[in-house]
Amino acid sequence: MKKFKRNIKKIFIFLFILIAFMYVNNSSLFTKDNDETPLLLAHRGMAQPFPMESVGNDTCTAKIIYKSEHPYLENTIPSMEAAFKAGADIVEFDIQPTTDGQFAVFHDWTLECRTDGKGVTRGHTMEQLKQLDIGYGYTSDNGQTYPFRGKGVGLMPSLNEVLSHFPKESFLIHIKGNEKKEGEQLAEYLSSFPKERLNQLTVYGGNEAIKVLKEQLPKIRVMSMDTMKSCMLPYIALGWTGYVPSSCENTQIHLPEKFSSFIWGWPNKFINRMNNADARVVIVAGDGGWSEGFDSKEDLKRLPENYNGIIWTNRIDIIAPSINEQNR
């Protein structure tokens, strides 16, 4: 009986030490504060916002925009210029392959929602896409008025035009398809870029496209569902020890705020661990669905104190001034 009690006591002591270790090893309370301000990621540049709660798989978001507060259209060079000027550190944009071997910067799989064109976006040449009015379909009053009609002709840029126009800026590039040949095509295009330029770019998208891209261009930072799983599942299992899987290296993590508090070391210790593995951490709003972002001053209040990762926002015009105000 005494032996049994001694064994129970040892077990309790072991568990106490283990729990204490897990707490200390993963608590941001014992992590040196980083004075750096968070980086801001502007989704699609300076875009026309719309209510996220109304979005479904088939929603044409151009038809449900709020009354316009600025003249910019998403995924265009003017919108990216405005986003960087407003305070964005990184701009996200979408790419679609064209029939003449280029990439068009455009979100939608088909053209009917936003433009005066028809058909699948990738079924056109870049020259054909240049003829379209990408502001044609935007309305905030159920079609009574179309404030951007005639103002978006020729504004759909190519990937090459964007990266040439912004030779020193950082971008998150979204491959909208998931075919291997898209990854191969993008790898071939980016292969001529110097290492310093590739360090300013991250590419995310479907598993197959990203896998091929990474195989052919190992130096590029990437993200897909597969890369997220290969990094985060082992980390969730063993991250309490401080272990960071090698699969996290040179990747990007998009972490929904809904699940962030369950991550070992969240926020500062986790971000520091990932930074040491050259992995970037981007916090997105809600459960991560429909590109939800931190889009208001009230949203920013939900962020952990001293958060210094990357913030995903659809309203860089609101969030950048708010962040600057907080850090005065």
Side-chain angles (χ1 to χ4, degrees):
M1 187 66 178
K2 289 182 179 180
K3 185 177 180 180
F4 175 75
K5 289 182 177 179
R6 283 197 300 268
N7 288 338
I8 291 294
K9 184 177 180 181
K10 288 178 181 179
I11 291 172
F12 274 111
I13 292 172
F14 171 77
L15 289 175
F16 176 80
I17 293 172
L18 178 62
I19 292 170
F21 169 78
M22 293 171 68
Y23 175 77
V24 172
N25 197 44
N26 292 281
S27 175
S28 294
L29 294 174
F30 302 99
T31 302
K32 184 178 179 181
D33 287 341
N34 190 324
D35 293 332
E36 295 180 6
T37 57
L39 299 179
L40 301 180
L41 193 159
H43 181 220
R44 304 189 203 173
M46 187 87 82
Q48 296 297 320
F50 50 85
M52 291 291 179
E53 60 271 16
S54 303
V55 177
N57 286 324
D58 300 322
T59 303
C60 173
T61 56
K63 305 295 187 188
I64 59 170
I65 62 169
Y66 295 119
K67 186 176 180 180
S68 180
E69 298 177 21
H70 60 74
Y72 303 106
L73 297 171
E74 65 180 51
N75 282 317
T76 63
I77 287 176
S79 82
M80 296 175 197
E81 288 177 331
F84 284 124
K85 185 176 180 180
D89 299 287
I90 308 162
V91 165
E92 187 266 4
F93 63 82
D94 309 288
I95 59 172
Q96 307 266 7
T98 62
T99 57
D100 55 346
Q102 299 188 60
F103 282 103
V105 178
F106 190 69
H107 175 271
D108 297 353
W109 189 263
T110 56
L111 297 168
E112 284 84 352
C113 170
R114 297 177 203 284
T115 83
D116 53 348
K118 294 182 179 180
V120 177
T121 304
R122 59 187 54 206
H124 297 72
T125 66
M126 194 67 235
E127 182 179 358
Q128 289 172 331
L129 295 174
K130 284 281 189 184
Q131 309 307 312
L132 300 177
D133 177 5
I134 63 170
Y136 188 84
Y138 285 84
T139 180
S140 61
D141 52 15
N142 296 314
Q144 296 182 48
T145 60
Y146 290 88
F148 294 102
R149 278 194 178 175
K151 299 178 181 179
V153 179
L155 285 186
M156 190 188 302
S158 67
L159 172 61
N160 188 59
E161 286 176 316
V162 169
L163 295 185
S164 297
H165 189 85
F166 301 98
K168 297 182 180 180
E169 302 292 356
S170 294
F171 290 101
L172 173 59
I173 302 170
H174 187 190
I175 302 180
K176 294 301 292 184
N178 189 29
E179 297 184 20
K180 291 183 178 180
K181 62 182 180 181
E182 293 176 56
E184 294 170 350
Q185 181 183 333
L186 185 57
E188 182 179 1
Y189 170 71
L190 293 175
S191 63
S192 62
F193 285 59
K195 179 181 177 181
E196 295 74 19
R197 184 57 174 141
L198 290 180
N199 285 340
Q200 297 172 308
L201 306 177
T202 301
V203 182
Y204 76 120
N207 294 327
E208 294 302 318
I210 293 301
K211 180 181 178 182
V212 171
L213 172 67
K214 189 65 173 178
E215 289 173 349
Q216 298 192 13
L217 205 61
K219 299 297 183 182
I220 194 79
R221 182 182 292 106
V222 298
M223 189 195 82
S224 68
M225 188 58 70
D226 277 354
T227 66
M228 287 269 288
K229 287 179 179 178
S230 65
C231 169
M232 292 306 296
L233 290 181
Y235 184 82
I236 290 169
L238 296 171
W240 60 272
T241 66
Y243 168 74
V244 176
S246 60
S247 54
C248 295
E249 295 175 4
N250 206 29
T251 63
Q252 185 155 297
I253 308 298
H254 285 192
L255 187 61
E257 64 168 320
K258 182 177 179 180
F259 309 114
S260 60
S261 59
F262 299 103
I263 300 300
W264 296 113
W266 177 257
N268 297 344
K269 192 157 283 188
F270 172 70
I271 292 172
N272 290 347
R273 288 169 179 168
M274 291 299 156
N275 284 344
N276 290 335
D278 196 26
R280 289 182 170 179
V281 177
V282 181
I283 188 167
V284 296
D287 62 4
W290 310 117
S291 302
E292 294 164 287
F294 290 83
D295 298 336
S296 70
K297 290 183 178 181
E298 290 300 312
D299 289 341
L300 291 177
K301 293 178 181 178
R302 302 198 307 270
L303 288 172
E305 188 176 357
N306 299 321
Y307 174 80
N308 58 18
I310 301 173
I311 300 172
W312 179 286
T313 182
N314 300 294
R315 295 300 306 267
I316 189 64
D317 52 325
I318 292 175
I319 297 305
S322 299
I323 289 289
N324 291 334
E325 185 178 316
Q326 286 181 6
N327 289 279
R328 282 176 185 171

